[in-house]
């Protein structure tokens, strides 16, 4: 298995993942800068973003860069 991306590891340390739909989490982050909401989005989607990037690029380091750029 692939190791988690560095961004996902940081997101997990911020605080426990809140529940809610992606739209709810985006609103909470956008309106209140809720870092837990952002961390939940990263946890939910970073693996899929990384898998697609890894499949297309064939390079783990480049895939990690794509994940980071996606969530910046």
């Amino acid at each position: 298995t692939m190791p988690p991306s560095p961004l996902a590891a940081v997101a997990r340390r911020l605080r426990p993942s809140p529940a809610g739909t992606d739209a709810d989490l985006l609103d909470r982050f956008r309106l209140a800068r809720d870092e837990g909401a952002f961390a939940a989005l990263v946890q939910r989607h970073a693996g899929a973003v990384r898998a697609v990037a890894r499949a297309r690029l064939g390079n783990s380091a480049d895939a990690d860069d794509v994940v980071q750029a996606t969530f910046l």
Side-chain angles (χ1 to χ4, degrees):
T1 62
M2 298 286 176
S5 73
L7 184 59
V10 169
R12 278 192 299 278
R13 289 193 308 259
L14 290 175
R15 70 176 103 155
S17 297
T21 66
D22 289 350
D24 293 336
L25 294 171
L26 281 170
D27 281 344
R28 286 170 41 196
F29 179 69
R30 183 177 57 86
L31 298 172
R33 295 294 183 238
D34 181 341
E35 291 179 358
F38 179 75
L41 288 166
V42 172
Q43 286 177 322
R44 286 181 187 180
H45 300 290
V49 171
R50 186 176 194 286
V52 170
R54 178 78 165 87
R56 297 291 294 163
L57 300 172
N59 180 300
S60 292
D62 289 342
D64 289 340
D65 290 343
V66 168
V67 171
Q68 184 173 6
T70 298
F71 291 100
L72 283 177

